[in-house]
Amino acid sequence: MDDPHSTPLRMPVNEKHKDMSTVVVGKIETGSLKKGSTLLMMPNSVKVEVQAIFNELEEEIPAAAVGDNVRIRLRGIEEEGIMIGFVLCRLKHPVHAVSKFEAQLGILDHKNMICAGYTAVLHIHNAIEEVSLSAMLHLLDKKTGRKSKRPPQFLKKSQQGIVMIETSGPLCVETFTDSPRLGRFTLRDEGKTIAIGKVTKLYFGNDEA
């Protein structure tokens, strides 16, 4: 796996507020940033400038790297234009923003069978989004990892499958292979975690499933 220090910057926003200028708080999951950098806020593709970086002790620091929890003062974006779960990244290596992706899903606990059309709340890095499981693609054999040739009609407790997930708008995600921290998620329903999963394939604009 790639060294998180050498991989592109990814900092999901955990908190935001106004303090003379726009301030975001988060943990740098991969990469690094420094004061004066021009970065990109995704998924709305807004260029921002890093005016100042503060560590957990509220000390101003010139730069920060993977694993650091930081507070960043930004120029070029209003606080209202940021949502929790947006991601700061570099202009040349933006995070992917999609509204449809394939995922490997393991059902932990659910009283009913899960079929196509099922809706739940997705928790991925700091983002929380209502999603729809728009298609059941394959059942996975837990011992061999083999995919079924025919799509299953449903998934039930303790089963694993490949499903298509759709969101109402663009969501910042990566495949689990490319970035485990931005490709691992849980699904919740009625306050309970009903499934865990990992993103396996992203679909862009014109891609058809």
Side-chain angles (χ1 to χ4, degrees), residues 105 107 112-114 136 139 152 154-156 159-161 163:
L105 202 62
I107 310 301
N112 303 315
M113 294 177 290
I114 292 174
M136 302 280 136
L139 190 63
F154 57 84
L155 290 173
K156 60 185 181 181
Q159 286 188 324
Q160 291 186 5
V163 300

Side-chain angles (χ1 to χ4, degrees), residues 48-82:
V48 296
E49 182 190 333
V50 177
Q51 288 185 293
I53 308 165
F54 300 89
N55 63 16
E56 291 178 278
L57 301 173
E58 292 296 315
E59 299 165 336
E60 187 170 352
I61 52 177
V66 60
D68 290 344
N69 288 289
V70 290
R71 187 165 65 89
I72 301 174
R73 196 184 295 278
L74 296 174
R75 176 187 287 147
I77 194 167
E78 292 299 318
E79 185 252 345
E80 299 80 26
I82 302 169

Side-chain angles (χ1 to χ4, degrees), residues 5-193:
H5 286 268
S6 62
T7 49
L9 171 68
R10 302 284 184 261
M11 193 196 96
V13 174
N14 184 41
E15 200 183 307
K16 53 159 191 165
H17 58 268
K18 193 91 172 171
D19 179 11
M20 293 187 288
S21 59
T22 303
V23 174
V24 294
V25 179
K27 180 181 178 182
I28 300 176
E29 296 290 3
T30 56
S32 60
L33 56 83
K34 60 184 179 181
K35 183 176 179 178
S37 299
T38 299
L39 303 175
L40 200 61
M41 183 68 78
M42 290 290 286
N44 52 357
S45 300
V46 175
K47 284 185 184 179
V48 296
E49 182 190 333
V50 177
Q51 288 185 293
I53 308 165
F54 300 89
N55 63 16
E56 291 178 278
L57 301 173
E58 292 296 315
E59 299 165 336
E60 187 170 352
I61 52 177
V66 60
D68 290 344
N69 288 289
V70 290
R71 187 165 65 89
I72 301 174
R73 196 184 295 278
L74 296 174
R75 176 187 287 147
I77 194 167
E78 292 299 318
E79 185 252 345
E80 299 80 26
I82 302 169
M83 302 282 284
I84 304 304
F86 277 20
V87 176
L88 263 183
C89 47
R90 295 205 175 279
L91 300 176
K92 289 184 178 179
H93 298 283
V95 65
H96 290 114
V98 298
S99 53
K100 182 162 72 169
F101 59 87
E102 272 179 35
Q104 181 177 326
L105 202 62
I107 310 301
L108 299 177
D109 182 25
H110 201 264
K111 56 185 181 289
N112 303 315
M113 294 177 290
I114 292 174
C115 307
Y118 174 75
T119 57
V121 179
L122 175 91
H123 291 247
I124 187 163
H125 55 85
N126 295 328
I128 300 173
E129 183 90 11
E130 188 163 304
V131 298
S132 166
L133 274 62
S134 56
M136 302 280 136
L137 302 176
H138 305 281
L139 190 63
L140 286 177
D141 185 308
K142 285 207 284 189
K143 289 182 181 175
T144 64
R146 282 185 186 162
K147 297 177 182 178
S148 63
K149 290 182 180 176
R150 290 185 175 184
Q153 293 294 308
F154 57 84
L155 290 173
K156 60 185 181 181
K157 186 175 177 178
S158 298
Q159 286 188 324
Q160 291 186 5
I162 303 291
V163 300
M164 182 74 73
I165 293 179
E166 295 194 36
T167 66
S168 56
L171 184 67
C172 294
V173 296
E174 299 285 6
T175 63
F176 181 80
T177 306
D178 285 345
S179 178
R181 295 163 182 81
L182 274 75
R184 185 189 296 121
F185 65 87
T186 60
L187 285 180
R188 292 176 64 82
D189 191 6
E190 296 179 352
K192 289 174 67 176
T193 298

